[in-house]
Amino acid sequence: MRATLRLLVLIPALGLFACKEAPPPPPPPPPPPPFHTILDLKQFMLLVIDPAADGVWDSVKTIMTKKGTEEIRPKTEEQWTAVRASAATVAEAANLLMLDGRARDKNEWMTAVRRLTDTAEKAMKAAEAKDPDAVFTAGGEMYEACRGCHQRYAQRLNNATEGVKDDNKDTAKAPAADAAKK
């Protein structure tokens, strides 16, 4: 009798579970991004960020030699436009450093890239104002933003001497490594 009673209770319970709707299928994966990058991070830095940053850094400087001091400053509208364009390129290109595949993490990397964007924007505004001292200051801040990121993510770049050959490889190596071998 107990067995029959259990069956009478179990059969309707099983029917309830069997009639329950199946859970909805999981959502489809997100579509791929609408862009296609062609440069890896190193190439992007070499071909896009570095030349644009050099356009800011080389625009305002003081060169001292035995012959005297030379102050380099933009003088023409065309020169100021070139500095502004270089700074704008750094600011906007920095956003591309946040893309998946280039971003090294979602925290410190993003903070460092935002710092580069902000300092490049300062340089752009300084060029718009035709203020060489402000361009120089913003350029120094850009340099520090780059340096800080390189210290964290590309230490070999800070210590590398370009063109130094290793005994077995044609790669750059740190000058300290050369001294240690001697």
Side-chain angles (χ1 to χ4, degrees), residues 54-113:
D54 286 342
V56 174
W57 293 330
D58 292 342
S59 69
V60 179
K61 57 186 171 184
T62 301
I63 301 172
M64 291 191 271
T65 65
K66 291 179 182 179
K67 293 181 181 179
T69 301
E70 180 184 6
E71 296 290 338
I72 306 293
R73 306 279 187 268
K75 293 174 182 66
T76 66
E77 190 64 36
E78 184 178 79
Q79 290 170 333
W80 280 111
T81 298
V83 176
R84 182 175 172 231
S86 292
T89 299
V90 172
E92 289 297 328
N95 289 312
L96 299 175
L97 294 172
M98 295 186 199
L99 294 176
D100 287 338
R102 288 193 182 131
R104 295 301 181 234
D105 61 54
K106 298 291 183 190
N107 296 315
E108 290 180 44
W109 178 269
M110 298 302 185
T111 300
V113 170

Side-chain angles (χ1 to χ4, degrees), residues 140-154:
E141 291 174 9
M142 272 178 47
Y143 175 80
E144 288 302 319
C146 292
R147 187 171 158 265
C149 192
H150 290 182
Q151 283 180 327
R152 170 75 170 97
Y153 295 99

Side-chain angles (χ1 to χ4, degrees), residues 5-19:
L5 188 56
R6 284 184 189 161
L7 281 175
L8 288 175
V9 172
L10 282 175
I11 290 174
L14 288 174
L16 285 175
F17 289 116
C19 293

